[in-house]
Structure formats: C-alpha cells, structure tokens
C-alpha cells in the first residue's frame, strides 16, 4: 500500500518513517517539499505519488506564537488540512490526521471522551479544531487521532528542555497543577500503523475521532521528576536539580494551557485492541536513544 506522510520531519512524522511495517511503501514529505497550506502543491504531490492512504503529521505546533501568528496557524492547521481532505476525497482514499487535547477547555476532572463537547481557549486549539471540522466535512474516510504531551528523541519537547535546563541549573520550577498523559511519538506512530494495517487487511475502518495518549495521567512536575530519576540512572545527567512545584498562575504564558488534558482512550482499545502506552517505559527508550546519539 502506497502511503504519503506529510510533516515527515516532525516528532511524529520522523517516527512514522522509522517504523514502516512490511507491506507499506512510504513517501515522506517535509515542509520544504510539501507545504500543506499550498493547495497546488498538495494536488501536484497527490497526482505524482498516487497514495492509497495519507497520514498528516504536519501542523503549526508553536502554541504561544500562534496567539500572534493567527493567519499562519489557520493556514496550516485548518486550510492545509482542508486541502489534504479535498485531495484525498477526490482520490477516494482515507486521510489519517493527528489532533490535540487543546480542542477541550481543560475545565473537566474526568478523562475526555472523543464525542465530548470541544471548547478551545487559544488560537492553536481553535485552528486545530477548525482543521478537524474541515476534515470531517470534506473527506468521508477520515480518522482523527487526538493525543497529548508528545515527546521523542527527535525534535523539540519537554524531555529535551528538562535535560537541557537540568544540566545548567541547580533548581527548576515546574508546573504541578496541569494534568495530562505524556505520549511518545513512537507509540503514536505505531498506533497509526496498526490502524493502517487494519485498513489494509479489512478494506475499512470505523472512521471518526479517537483518543490516544500515554498512561497513567500525571502532572508536568511528575513527568519532570521521572525524567530526572531515569536520566541519572542512565548516566545522562550527573546530578539532579532541585525541583519546585509551582502553579500555572506562577508560570504565565501567552497562550492559556488546559489544566486538564486527560484523554479517555477506551474507544481505540475497545475497537482495535490498541491500548495507551506506558509513558515511563517509553521515556526510558527515548533517553537511551538520546544517550546513544550523545555518545555517537
Ligand atoms: N507536540 C505535542 O505535544 C502535541 C500534543 C498534542 C497533539 N500534537 C499534534 O501531533 C501532531 C504532530 O506533532 P509533532 O509534535 O510531531 O509536531 P512537530 O514536531 O512540530 O512537527 C510538525 C511538523 O509539521 C511541519 N509543518 C509545519 N507547517 C507545515 C506546512 N505548512 N506544510 C507541511 N509541513 C508543515 C513542521 O515542519 P517545519 O519545522 O519545517 O515547519 C514539522 O516538521 C500535530 O498535529 C500536533 O498538533 C502535538
């Protein structure tokens, strides 16, 4: 099966390309070769590759910058998804798309189910929700996988920020009142490939919105704590910085962060036997990979 992967140089895109299962031939395009916000480029690539499935890992992900770069955030996260959706529909092929916990208000205290009401509070979440809506309207065979707190060895993320700051500073303050599920980019890629394999074998999927994130839910503070515990045991850091738990109010950011990002992943487990990853276990492999890269 010929698969087109967009955003191939991002965290998830990179892992999708590293983990291609047998039976798939993949063309991965980074932003410089395929800008999804350019409708002509999208059509030209679809015409030349003739994919049988598209996985969109491209997105405008700079949450704070989006607050002032509104036009670009919508151009990529909404229009871009719309162009991919229209092109996929024209070829009668499915489009897998990745979305985010930021589509929710974050005011809940129970894990969000895929059909729960959305209410984003910032431009990033609004533009991603708009992209979901374009996809649902314009492509009949769509699969939207919402995820949260993505980390991996490739790209920028919280794990790498903690390692960098931890090496430089004696003390670190980390937000301890936001809850979510850290999710490895590798496990998202594996989940998407498992769904692609199911589509390849069955010729169908239950199209719609799904949630996928790591378990168990924790706070950024808990996540940072585990990052330092594991980094020291793996010899990536020599000493542990002293961590101070702070509130969201003590760490103001241009875009509001959801206080509650916990996703209910049962629809994917019940429908496809795909369960949340154990984020602490995935963290160990990511740190090992970073250690190998450092040593290389
Ligand atoms: N990161 C998270 O914590 C998180 C949480 C929840 C959901 N998600 C979602 O998960 C998906 C993957 O995120 P990620 O963490 O892998 O993001 P990422 O590392 O920022 O990768 C996104 C990729 O998209 C590319 N891109 C940006 N604009 C583009 C355009 N117009 N055309 C084509 N490519 C473009 C970027 O390329 P350039 O760098 O060259 O611009 C980048 O390589 C996204 O849909 C994101 O919204 C992420």
């Amino acid at each position: 099966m010929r698969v087109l992967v967009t955003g191939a140089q991002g965290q998830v895109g990179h892992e999708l390309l590293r983990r291609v299962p047998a039976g798939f031939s993949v063309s991965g395009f980074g932003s410089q070769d395929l800008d999804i916000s350019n409708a002509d480029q999208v059509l030209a690539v679809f015409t030349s590759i003739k994919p049988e499935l598209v996985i969109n890992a491209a997105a405008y992900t700079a949450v704070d910058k989006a607050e002032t770069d509104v036009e670009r955030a919508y151009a990529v996260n909404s229009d871009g998804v719309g162009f991919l959706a229209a092109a996929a529909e024209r070829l009668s092929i499915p489009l897998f798309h990745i979305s985010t916990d930021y589509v929710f208000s974050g005011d809940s205290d129970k894990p969000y189910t895929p059909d729960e009401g959305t209410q984003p509070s910032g431009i990033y979440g609004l533009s991603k929700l708009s992209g979901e809506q374009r996809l649902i309207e314009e492509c009949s065979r769509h699969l939207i996988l919402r995820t949260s707190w993505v980390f991996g060895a490739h790209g920028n993320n919280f794990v790498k920020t903690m390692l960098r700051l931890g090496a430089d500073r004696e003390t670190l303050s980390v937000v301890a009142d936001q809850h979510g599920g850290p999710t490895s980019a590798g496990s998202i890629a594996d989940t998407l490939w498992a769904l692609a394999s199911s589509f390849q074998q069955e010729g169908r999927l239950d199209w719609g919105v799904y949630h996928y994130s790591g378990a168990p839910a924790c706070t950024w503070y808990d996540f940072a704590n585990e990052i330092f515990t594991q980094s020291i045991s793996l010899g990536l850091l020599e000493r542990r910085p002293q961590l101070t738990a702070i509130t969201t109010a003590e760490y103001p950011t241009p875009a509001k962060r959801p206080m509650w990002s916990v996703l209910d992943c049962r629809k994917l487990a019940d429908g496809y036997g795909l369960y949340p990853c154990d984020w602490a276990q995935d963290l160990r492999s990511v740190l090992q990979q970073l250690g190998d890269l450092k040593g290389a």
Side-chain angles (χ1 to χ4, degrees):
M1 180 172 273
R2 282 186 309 282
V3 182
L4 167 65
V5 172
T6 59
Q9 281 151 10
Q11 296 195 80
V12 176
H14 178 83
E15 292 298 333
L16 279 165
L17 263 65
R18 278 184 72 212
R19 295 162 184 258
V20 182
F24 292 92
S25 92
V26 177
S27 303
F29 282 75
S31 58
Q32 66 280 38
D33 299 318
L34 171 57
D35 173 355
I36 65 164
S37 69
N38 181 327
D40 293 339
Q41 268 187 32
V42 169
L43 268 187
V45 168
F46 273 60
T47 308
S48 84
I49 303 290
K50 296 186 181 57
E52 295 161 277
L53 167 69
V54 177
I55 306 181
N56 178 35
Y60 184 108
T61 56
V63 173
D64 287 325
K65 197 169 160 216
E67 293 299 308
T68 47
D69 196 11
V70 181
E71 217 172 289
R72 191 68 199 141
Y74 271 90
V76 181
N77 291 345
S78 177
D79 296 340
V81 178
F83 298 147
L84 293 172
E89 187 67 6
R90 193 185 285 196
L91 293 184
S92 300
I93 60 165
L95 175 53
F96 290 5
H97 175 66
I98 308 160
S99 195
T100 170
D101 54 304
Y102 276 66
V103 298
F104 295 112
S105 68
D107 294 337
S108 185
D109 57 3
K110 284 191 261 332
Y112 284 109
T113 59
D115 54 2
E116 218 152 319
T118 49
Q119 199 189 340
S121 60
I123 299 299
Y124 170 70
L126 284 161
S127 66
K128 290 291 291 183
L129 180 60
S130 172
E132 288 189 5
Q133 287 160 346
R134 295 277 299 263
L135 176 52
I136 292 166
E137 279 159 22
E138 296 180 39
C139 178
S140 45
R141 298 202 283 174
H142 59 265
L143 191 136
I144 296 169
L145 193 75
R146 293 192 189 126
T147 189
S148 61
W149 297 18
V150 180
F151 68 93
H154 175 91
N156 297 319
N157 53 61
F158 184 75
V159 174
K160 287 168 105 177
T161 304
M162 286 299 111
L163 288 178
R164 194 180 62 249
L165 296 178
D168 287 352
R169 298 193 193 168
E170 308 242 310
T171 60
L172 275 182
S173 299
V174 185
V175 172
D177 58 358
Q178 292 172 24
H179 300 259
T183 314
S184 65
S187 73
I188 299 171
D190 286 344
T191 301
L192 289 167
W193 282 126
L195 290 164
S197 298
S198 185
F199 171 66
Q200 189 186 36
Q201 280 154 27
E202 311 283 334
R204 63 175 301 282
L205 283 178
D206 284 328
W207 307 111
V209 182
Y210 292 84
H211 286 173
Y212 178 78
S213 65
C218 66
T219 68
W220 290 112
Y221 178 85
D222 301 328
F223 191 19
N225 218 5
E226 185 66 20
I227 292 167
F228 290 120
T229 302
Q230 291 198 14
S231 301
I232 285 163
S233 82
L234 290 168
L236 277 179
L237 279 183
E238 280 171 17
R239 50 153 191 85
R240 183 189 187 87
Q242 193 192 323
L243 290 187
T244 307
I246 57 166
T247 63
T248 302
E250 291 173 280
Y251 187 72
T253 48
K256 194 178 159 209
R257 294 325 194 241
M259 301 300 288
W260 181 260
S261 281
V262 184
L263 301 174
D264 181 326
C265 303
R266 279 178 299 179
K267 186 175 168 188
L268 205 53
D270 295 347
Y272 294 97
L274 296 168
Y275 291 87
C277 67
D278 173 342
W279 64 258
Q281 197 176 309
D282 287 5
L283 175 63
R284 181 160 288 271
S285 359
V286 164
L287 292 173
Q288 273 160 347
Q289 232 179 300
L290 288 171
D292 293 346
L293 289 173
K294 207 169 143 192

